[in-house]
Amino acid sequence: MITARIIPMSEEYRDKLIEYMHKKYPTFIDAYIQFDVDEAIGTKESGTKSIIVINDNNEIVGCHLSFITKAWIKGEEKTIVWGHNTFLDEEYRKTIGLDFMLEIHSIKDGFGYSLSDINAKIQKKFKSTVFISGLRLYSLFKISLFWSIACKPFGKVLKIPTQLPQNILVKNDTFYLCKNARDIHIPNNGYWNKDICEVDFIRDEFFLNRRFFNNPVNKYYVYTNQERNCYFVVRPILQNGFLSVQMVDCRYMPHQQEIAYNIFTAIERICMTIHAGKIFVTTSDKLFKSILENKKLCKSWPIAFVCGKCNVSSKDSYIIVNAADSDGEYHA
């Protein structure tokens, strides 16, 4: 009989997890896997919520990894986790598969998005709160896409630019490229939307520096305006051979509707500057969704967003989620 056991991730299994990840996710770049495994191990302060499955030969045959962060939930700051890269080898699913899923489900204040069909059925069985319509991926086509298409017959190879504009003028405001998180005036100890969201994921100096300014995986461009009371994060990507811009994250105060429109205009101007053909946005932000849904040549797809045992009231609770919250953006 094939047997295995579930244990917390630890430094002892670092190299084995790196090897396992490369085998199970061959399209993942090494920088991301190294970063993900380091995050899964955690620190003395944060501990770990990541788990691995070990067989009788002390080999890794499954994993569920986590990013640990903080959120404001119903008037209280809590440590929460974003689960991702969940996999169990086929030959172990009948013997330990149920225990594996129950162990994942037992993680309090766990979140995740972009479910497989099987995982969606499992979450339904566990009665997790699934926000089916709130989170969406938007793809907005720009006129520069036709320029990219015209270049292909002539063998012109598009490359990701190594720099974006330092300043972007929008109406009576200017957005500036940030050097670090201190360039941004962060309100409410990083809880920008605590007054309108049942769950507000933190965006403080520590999060911004770790996720964007000091991230070893991707190059990010963070902009703020003249008053430094908002920010947005983009990165240029090649998608199916076409240069595109992905909006990874964005924060502004709830009453600053005009700033939201200015942020999107600034992103469009970045596209024009580098001749990018598409804008990709993953968000549940109501205002940003309304901006995108009023744009011509914009398509969208729903993404399942799951809350575990976090006591969220219902699937109608308002929660702002962007691509920066989980790991999907790393693979774009």
Side-chain angles (χ1 to χ4, degrees):
M1 181 179 178
I2 299 176
T3 60
R5 57 194 174 98
I6 302 166
I7 62 172
M9 177 56 192
S10 66
E11 179 67 39
E12 175 188 352
Y13 289 95
R14 186 180 191 278
D15 291 342
K16 288 186 177 182
L17 183 56
I18 290 173
E19 183 181 352
Y20 183 77
M21 292 280 287
H22 275 298
K23 183 168 62 175
K24 297 302 176 183
Y25 302 100
T27 61
F28 290 1
I29 63 172
D30 184 61
Y32 166 70
I33 290 177
Q34 297 275 352
F35 170 77
D36 196 23
V37 171
D38 287 341
E39 290 285 310
I41 293 170
T43 64
K44 290 182 179 179
E45 293 76 21
S46 68
T48 182
K49 294 289 185 179
S50 298
I51 57 175
I52 53 176
V53 183
I54 304 297
N55 67 10
D56 294 338
N57 296 322
N58 204 33
E59 298 169 329
I60 296 178
V61 295
C63 65
H64 173 73
L65 308 186
S66 298
F67 294 141
I68 297 180
T69 184
K70 293 181 179 180
W72 192 264
I73 302 177
K74 294 183 178 180
E76 181 181 353
E77 185 179 61
K78 295 186 177 182
T79 297
I80 62 102
V81 297
W82 281 94
H84 59 280
N85 290 339
T86 303
F87 193 89
L88 182 63
D89 287 1
E90 182 73 35
E91 59 266 37
Y92 293 90
R93 293 179 186 178
K94 291 184 178 179
T95 56
I96 202 171
L98 179 58
D99 290 340
F100 183 55
M101 294 310 300
L102 287 171
E103 188 73 25
I104 294 169
H105 185 65
S106 71
I107 298 172
K108 190 177 181 182
D109 297 323
F111 296 83
Y113 71 68
S114 189
L115 303 178
S116 65
D117 291 340
I118 293 175
N119 201 350
K121 292 177 181 178
I122 292 171
Q123 296 298 335
K124 187 176 181 180
K125 290 282 187 182
F126 286 157
K127 296 183 179 179
S128 299
T129 303
V130 180
F131 298 76
I132 297 175
S133 60
L135 182 64
R136 298 188 75 86
L137 166 65
Y138 293 87
S139 175
L140 175 63
F141 296 87
K142 305 301 295 178
I143 191 67
S144 301
L145 181 66
F146 298 104
W147 181 87
S148 300
I149 294 172
C151 288
K152 280 188 174 291
F154 299 97
K156 185 175 179 62
V157 179
L158 296 178
K159 296 181 180 180
I160 295 177
T162 56
Q163 190 55 265
L164 296 189
Q166 293 287 320
N167 305 322
I168 308 167
L169 180 63
V170 177
K171 294 184 179 179
N172 296 321
D173 205 352
T174 302
F175 288 91
Y176 301 95
L177 193 62
C178 300
K179 294 180 180 179
N180 55 57
R182 289 191 297 275
D183 289 339
I184 304 164
H185 291 159
I186 298 172
N188 304 325
N189 294 318
Y191 295 110
W192 298 66
N193 296 291
K194 62 184 291 188
D195 296 329
I196 63 168
C197 289
E198 188 165 346
V199 178
D200 189 19
F201 300 110
I202 198 166
R203 293 295 192 273
D204 61 359
E205 184 175 321
F206 177 80
F207 179 94
L208 296 178
N209 281 328
R210 180 176 61 87
R211 184 64 176 82
F212 303 122
F213 294 102
N214 303 323
N215 193 295
V217 183
N218 294 321
K219 167 69 174 175
Y220 297 98
Y221 298 86
V222 183
Y223 289 87
T224 189
N225 64 353
Q226 288 173 291
E227 295 186 11
R228 299 196 288 171
N229 60 357
C230 68
Y231 75 86
F232 70 89
V233 184
V234 294
R235 72 180 184 101
I237 60 174
L238 286 177
Q239 190 80 345
N240 297 324
F242 298 110
L243 184 60
S244 305
V245 170
Q246 182 175 29
M247 190 192 89
V248 181
D249 200 19
C250 172
R251 282 294 188 273
Y252 55 92
M253 296 298 287
H255 62 277
Q256 297 173 325
Q257 294 191 9
E258 184 177 358
I259 288 181
Y261 284 95
N262 288 349
I263 286 173
F264 193 78
T265 301
I267 295 172
E268 289 187 304
R269 292 187 178 174
I270 290 172
C271 277
M272 291 175 61
T273 302
I274 65 173
H275 303 294
K278 289 183 182 181
I279 298 174
F280 289 100
V281 179
T282 301
T283 189
S284 62
D285 184 310
K286 290 179 180 177
L287 184 53
F288 251 87
K289 287 166 68 177
S290 68
I291 293 172
L292 287 156
E293 286 164 0
N294 286 324
K295 292 282 184 179
K296 294 180 179 179
L297 300 177
C298 186
K299 295 182 179 181
S300 71
W301 299 266
I303 301 176
F305 163 54
V306 179
C307 296
K309 294 186 174 183
C310 61
N311 299 317
V312 175
S313 298
S314 73
K315 64 181 179 181
D316 297 321
S317 299
Y318 185 41
I319 303 174
I320 295 178
V321 181
N322 290 330
D325 286 299
S326 192
D327 75 319
E329 174 268 328
Y330 286 109
H331 316 306

